[in-house]
Amino acid sequence: ELAELLFGHITKTPQEVEAEFPPRGIEGNVTRFAPSPTGFMHIGGLFAALICQRVAHQTGGVFFLRIEDTDKKREVEGGVEEIVNSLSTFGIEFDEGATSSTTEKGEYGPYRQSQRASIYQTFAKSLVEQGKAYPCFCTEEELGDIRSKQESIKANPGYYGEWAVHRDMPFEQVKELVIKGVPYVLRLKSNGSLDKKVECKDGIKGKIEMPQNDQDIVILKSDGIPTYHFAHAVDDHLMGTTDVIRGDEWLSSLPVHLQLFYELGWKAPRFAHIAPVMKLEGSSKRKLSKRKDPEAAVSYYHQMGYPSDSVIEYLLNLANSSYEDWRRQNPDAPHEDYVLDMKKMSVSGALFDIIKLNDISKTVISKMTAQKVYDMTLEWAKIYDKEFAALLEADEEYAVRILAIGRGGKKPRKDIAKWSDVKDYMAYFYDELFAQSQPEAEVDKEIITEYVKIFDINDDKDVWFNKIRDMSEALGYAGDMKAYKAEPEKFKGNVGDVSTIIRIAVTNRSNTPDLYDIMQIIGEKRTAQRLNKYVV
Ligand code: GLU
């Protein structure tokens, strides 16, 4: 009678709903990523999505996207698109789920919780029928009073046991209030006791033991919309999730979730709780914060121009420290080949290290062709640095030649960690950028004056170098390193010092890739112009 009073509009039975979500009948794991469309994607979200994707796909299973949009206050327009698109740039694609704020694919939907109200209510109705759930009419004020009383006698806080004042309200009284339109929430009638334990084997944290839940938690809010707890149980059951992998802020709610699965008569999925990504501040660890740390936002990596593979490789490395060994042994394998092991993940929270990310990214980029580096830098620059994009586009061949320096061999150069580094890396090849820089150290005019006399762009590399060596000796520098090391006091310096002076004159920098290659690319006219500034 109570169930009909509260849920008269629900005509389907739980069995009928269940029949619409038949068992998937597949061997592999079914995982999901279940974000709220708040418009902000935290790096921890990408991390979780990556792990879920791997756990499904490395077993031939299914990975789907469920949008948890029951809290309209937190939702932003375009939030779903933001999630789908930003994950897609990192190669994270879903087999099923929401594809935009209005579209979706897959047989286990709707995949947006806001579209599933009647599904949740079907199971809520059934719990009421079984005497496992009941309406609670307490106002905020009344709940506050209960809390104060509990505080004053040092009882555990919350709505449970004898404090659950509406638990056994007679039907007639409930009916009167419902008919009057008094708002109510629906609560689970908990049989749990803090003296008893629930056990669970967490995929990351291992065996966990926690006290049972004794609270009559809210399962439907006064607008009939479910709480996270209830929606999670209903959705993950119907959608056939085998592995719930989520942030460990949910670990403390696990007893509630296990209880819900039990009371609903369902087998609970496996759980794995991911510790948050941490950051070192001084000597203490704290969570990467959306407010304080720009690198907490997934959009940051796009803005800085990290290739998505670099970020993914870094996150794999953060998930499993053995990833690095694997990468060393399989330098050319796609990262998709790596088999992630959840049991090897950090229990307390992996430390985010941007230097490590840069290292990994430099290696990723060092393996790309010059053309690919050009294409990706240009794509980035078109959004974030239009002037530089124009410079790149003005002479593609020239830019690709620059980017080809030191690339392709056994030990490629690793100068570039992200596309926003490229402009600085290439700057001295462009007169307009070179003009904005200053020599990194003083240029010895005597050396350049002499060098200009022998400089010939058509020299091959050996001739070029021999000329510099001979000139060095003539000017009192050691042409031979051994001789220099044996008696340094006999020389003004050595041929390396002379080369550095020439390098600075041509590039304004003391550290660059091969100077011969640079001069060949810059060309005779420009090299001579730069040298001539120092001729006395
Ligand atoms: N919407 C929840 C969150 O964003 C989902 C947690 C889960 O994966 O179950 O934290």
Side-chain angles (χ1 to χ4, degrees), residues 65-127:
L65 174 65
R66 180 171 70 231
I67 299 297
E68 309 220 318
D69 56 353
T70 54
D71 185 354
K72 289 287 158 201
K73 285 194 293 290
R74 293 180 61 213
E75 188 171 345
V76 302
E77 211 181 311
V80 179
E81 284 77 4
E82 159 86 23
I83 292 164
V84 172
N85 296 339
S86 76
L87 289 175
S88 169
T89 54
F90 289 98
I92 298 193
E93 309 281 356
F94 297 93
D95 306 307
E96 289 175 11
T99 49
S100 77
S101 48
T102 51
T103 55
E104 57 180 40
K105 60 177 180 186
E107 302 293 319
Y108 288 77
Y111 295 90
R112 279 157 290 156
Q113 289 184 330
S114 57
Q115 316 257 304
R116 300 172 62 82
S118 67
I119 297 177
Y120 304 120
Q121 289 172 13
T122 304
F123 293 98
K125 179 179 184 182
S126 160
L127 288 178

Side-chain angles (χ1 to χ4, degrees), residues 32 34-36 66 68 228 244-246 249-250:
R32 83 294 191 277
S36 295
R66 180 171 70 231
E68 309 220 318
Y228 166 76
V244 169
I245 304 168
R246 61 186 177 186
E249 68 271 24
W250 296 111

